[in-house]
Amino acid sequence: MMNYTAVMNYKAAFLLLGMVFWPVVLLADNDYHLMELKALKTAGKICSLEHILQQLEHYGINRLLEVELKENKDHPDNSDYLYEIEYIDPQGRVLELEVDALTSEVLHLDEESISEETD
């Protein structure tokens, strides 16, 4: 059985590899395919993950754990899609940001607990 650190390192390495090969790569339950992501980006409905992360530098995203693209149902005044970005900050906390996928506006910030990580 892998320990927690090994699993998190595996996820971060997988995400980093994806970002190298495609600017809009997501680890998601939503089953978005690369062609769909490219179409959304080309249509101006989302920005690349690389662009979003550059805009969020001041949040201290030290290590990415997971990124999901979701339809925006909770924030009707914003664009149609949002990124959920789970990461480890410089203090070692696991945080999750909900970010407008077009404007980079942070819609919600939440600290994750270890029990939520293992569920």
Side-chain angles (χ1 to χ4, degrees):
M1 178 180 269
M2 286 187 173
N3 66 29
Y4 178 76
T5 304
V7 170
M8 292 302 104
N9 287 339
Y10 174 77
K11 283 183 173 183
F14 185 74
L15 182 62
L16 182 60
L17 280 174
M19 286 174 50
V20 168
F21 291 109
W22 191 258
V24 188
V25 167
L26 306 167
L27 301 175
D29 298 331
N30 304 17
D31 197 29
Y32 283 101
H33 298 285
L34 290 179
M35 296 305 291
E36 292 173 298
L37 295 173
K38 185 176 180 182
L40 288 171
K41 186 174 180 281
T42 301
K45 293 188 178 227
I46 65 171
C47 288
S48 70
L49 180 56
E50 179 182 26
H51 173 78
I52 297 292
L53 292 174
Q54 287 173 353
Q55 301 301 311
L56 299 174
E57 278 185 42
H58 61 280
Y59 277 88
I61 298 176
N62 196 30
R63 223 167 86 196
L64 285 173
L65 299 176
E66 184 176 17
V67 179
E68 295 181 39
L69 178 68
K70 294 188 171 188
E71 288 188 44
N72 182 4
K73 298 177 182 172
D74 297 329
H75 307 280
D77 294 338
N78 297 90
S79 65
D80 296 337
Y81 296 92
L82 60 88
Y83 287 106
E84 280 188 1
I85 302 171
E86 190 173 314
Y87 68 99
I88 298 175
D89 74 356
Q91 290 76 36
R93 297 176 300 171
V94 176
L95 301 170
E96 183 177 274
L97 288 171
E98 286 185 1
V99 181
D100 186 298
L102 186 59
T103 67
S104 306
E105 178 186 350
V106 174
L107 306 173
H108 186 75
L109 172 63
D110 190 30
E111 186 169 354
E112 299 285 307
S113 70
I114 297 298
S115 63
E116 290 178 38
E117 290 297 310
T118 58
D119 288 345

